[in-house]
Amino acid sequence: MSGSSMPLSSFARVQLAHLPTPLEPLTRLSQMLGGPRIYIKRDDCTGLAGGGNKTRKLEFLMGDALEKACDFILTAGGLQSNHARQTAAAAAKLGLDCELFLESVPGTPSSDYDRNGNLLLDRLLGAGVQRCPGDGSLLTRMEARAEELRREGRTPYVVPVGGSSGIGALGYADCALELIKQCQAQELEPDHIWMATGSGGTQAGLLAGLALAQSKVPLTGINVSATEEVQKAKLRPVLAETFGLLGLALPDLDDVICDENFYLPGYGIPNEGTLEAIRLLAVSEAILLDPVYSGKAMAGLIARIREGAFSSRDTVVFLHSGGAAALFAYETLL
């Protein structure tokens, strides 16, 4: 690897995650599907109140907040947001006040979704929860609260949805470098990296880290909420900010893969392929996927394998972004 993680050392960072996360073979699943060799990068094992991919982002975001002497953390997302839960956990660990702005997601299960899963953990972690209607006012409400806090003499830090800013995405530039070192140590040469993409920070960060390492391994993002056009529109500014922070040449967006074929019927609503993937990983590998992100990404990988997109000699690394806490909000579907 000719790249270096040195550019990352110039950014403020706090230790929140259990790193490095494991890189493990999915031997039984690979056999059941007839290949390729599938490995899983276990970012569900980052710690911090159940773990997940946002913890890596929050190391840099909270570092930035502390450097700016902020004392109140605000963020937003869906009612069962894994990001909101991890943000609440980071704030609790660092002794900062935290308020979450969470919106209802049409089409999701009702009873457990409205009180269990991540929402239960948000309250347990001491975060204030503002429930918002799904009418597009979420970010406006959060910004108004931030201004109110400033008038009260507080110093709020607004964490973007999904932690997906250039600062947050640095966590996944670091993850890419970590993954490459693990592959070298295990004498693996991955032919593909596979992941879920939502707010865009994880994908942008991984692309930046691969660029730092001058790696040409293709990366596929499986959209969890949008068409390819909409997803790339979300990804574009995060890519620009992340690559700009690291002094890297911006990639051609036409070369970035955002697969739109598996997200319907919509964000937070698992389709039959998602439910099959969740069940299959549980019974074959004792690994819990979530119904919003990793379940849809794995459903996409399984579908592509069945279509013959990979040979039995190929090696695919699947990024597990966490989120199993949300399963308890989907009991009626599972």
Side-chain angles (χ1 to χ4, degrees):
M1 182 179 71
S2 59
S4 168
S5 59
M6 283 302 293
L8 296 171
S9 65
S10 61
F11 297 93
R13 183 177 185 179
V14 295
Q15 184 178 351
L16 297 171
H18 300 168
L19 301 177
T21 57
L23 177 64
E24 304 172 346
L26 295 180
T27 305
R28 293 194 68 230
L29 180 68
S30 299
Q31 290 172 346
M32 292 170 69
L33 295 172
R37 296 190 304 165
I38 307 170
Y39 280 73
I40 189 166
K41 178 62 170 161
R42 295 291 303 273
D43 271 19
D44 57 322
C45 298
T46 54
L48 195 64
N53 64 324
K54 310 304 182 183
T55 300
R56 288 187 188 268
K57 299 179 183 182
L58 286 162
E59 289 200 333
F60 287 91
L61 290 162
M62 293 297 111
D64 188 42
L66 293 178
E67 189 173 61
K68 294 174 178 174
C70 295
D71 58 7
F72 205 117
I73 305 299
L74 302 172
T75 199
L79 207 58
Q80 285 295 331
S81 169
N82 295 306
H83 161 68
R85 182 248 308 160
Q86 288 167 83
T87 301
K93 188 172 180 66
L94 297 172
L96 303 173
D97 290 330
C98 181
E99 203 162 302
L100 310 174
F101 288 75
L102 306 179
E103 66 180 356
S104 301
V105 178
T108 51
S110 55
S111 58
D112 286 331
Y113 192 90
D114 287 342
R115 57 185 175 81
N116 206 333
N118 283 306
L119 194 57
L120 169 64
L121 299 180
D122 294 338
R123 294 194 297 267
L124 189 61
L125 292 163
V129 175
Q130 300 291 335
R131 293 197 184 205
C132 306
D135 59 1
S137 66
L138 190 66
L139 299 183
T140 302
R141 290 168 184 262
M142 182 171 61
E143 291 293 348
R145 176 61 172 147
E147 186 55 39
E148 182 181 90
L149 287 166
R150 294 184 189 101
R151 291 196 297 269
E152 294 172 1
R154 306 296 298 271
T155 308
Y157 188 90
V158 176
V159 176
V161 172
S164 291
S165 64
I167 292 291
L170 294 175
Y172 270 88
D174 189 55
C175 178
L177 299 175
E178 177 184 299
L179 174 59
I180 289 169
K181 289 179 182 178
Q182 289 177 306
C183 287
Q184 291 174 336
Q186 296 186 36
E187 298 184 347
L188 295 176
E189 295 185 7
D191 298 289
H192 217 100
I193 299 172
W194 203 270
M195 59 167 295
T197 185
S199 53
T202 300
Q203 189 172 14
L206 284 173
L207 288 168
L210 293 171
L212 279 175
Q214 298 181 357
S215 171
K216 302 298 184 183
V217 179
L219 174 71
T220 288
I222 297 295
N223 301 357
V224 301
S225 61
T227 63
E228 179 182 2
E229 181 181 5
V230 171
Q231 186 62 32
K232 287 191 173 184
K234 287 195 290 183
L235 190 59
R236 184 181 291 108
V238 189
L239 274 173
E241 187 180 358
T242 309
F243 276 68
L245 286 171
L246 294 171
L248 296 167
L250 194 63
D252 189 332
L253 204 60
D254 289 340
D255 296 330
V256 176
I257 304 171
C258 297
D259 191 331
E260 66 181 9
N261 290 290
F262 303 97
Y263 80 91
L264 291 172
Y267 174 79
I269 310 172
N271 52 46
E272 284 304 313
T274 303
L275 298 174
E276 182 205 8
I278 291 170
R279 296 180 187 119
L280 188 57
L281 264 288
V283 299
S284 66
E285 300 285 356
I287 290 175
L288 302 177
L289 302 178
D290 83 294
V292 183
Y293 296 92
S294 58
K296 285 189 176 179
M298 181 57 75
L301 178 57
I302 291 169
R304 296 301 185 219
I305 291 171
R306 288 172 174 165
E307 292 167 4
F310 301 99
S311 78
S312 60
R313 297 181 301 277
D314 288 333
T315 299
V316 177
V317 174
F318 178 86
L319 176 70
H320 189 340
S321 53
L327 288 171
F328 300 101
Y330 287 81
E331 186 272 336
T332 56
L333 300 182
L334 294 164

